[in-house]
Amino acid sequence: YVHASFESCAQRDPKGLYKKATEGKVAHFTGRDSVFEEPDESFDGLRLDTEHESKEQSLEKLLAAVAPRIILPFD
């Protein structure tokens, strides 16, 4: 799960989709006029909080979770 508020995503948006959603030009935009439910406390999967972690911290957590699951075809 990647946590990032609508405002935070709008600041990072390279294509301007969040601006269009704010202007009402994109219907059913997640986080704006389409509901999204965050996982509750029982969720035991990977959580990345991109508002409170640096890109490097989030990447380290992602790599730590994914790297052990990568199976290389060379054994």
Side-chain angles (χ1 to χ4, degrees), residues 6 16-35:
F6 183 89
L17 290 175
Y18 285 81
K19 183 175 189 245
K20 289 179 183 177
T22 301
E23 296 169 346
K25 296 178 181 176
V26 179
H28 310 292
F29 199 83
T30 302
R32 185 69 180 169
D33 53 298
S34 182
V35 179

Side-chain angles (χ1 to χ4, degrees), residues 46 59-72:
L46 177 63
L59 179 59
E60 284 178 23
K61 285 173 73 174
L62 178 61
L63 286 174
V66 173
R69 297 179 174 157
I70 296 174
I71 300 171
L72 299 175

Side-chain angles (χ1 to χ4, degrees), residues 23-59:
E23 296 169 346
K25 296 178 181 176
V26 179
H28 310 292
F29 199 83
T30 302
R32 185 69 180 169
D33 53 298
S34 182
V35 179
F36 176 79
E37 293 183 26
E38 295 187 28
D40 64 19
E41 275 54 7
S42 66
F43 176 73
D44 66 349
L46 177 63
R47 291 177 186 261
L48 302 176
D49 187 346
T50 64
E51 292 191 17
H52 297 101
E53 299 170 352
S54 69
K55 288 184 269 188
E56 293 79 13
Q57 289 170 317
S58 291
L59 179 59

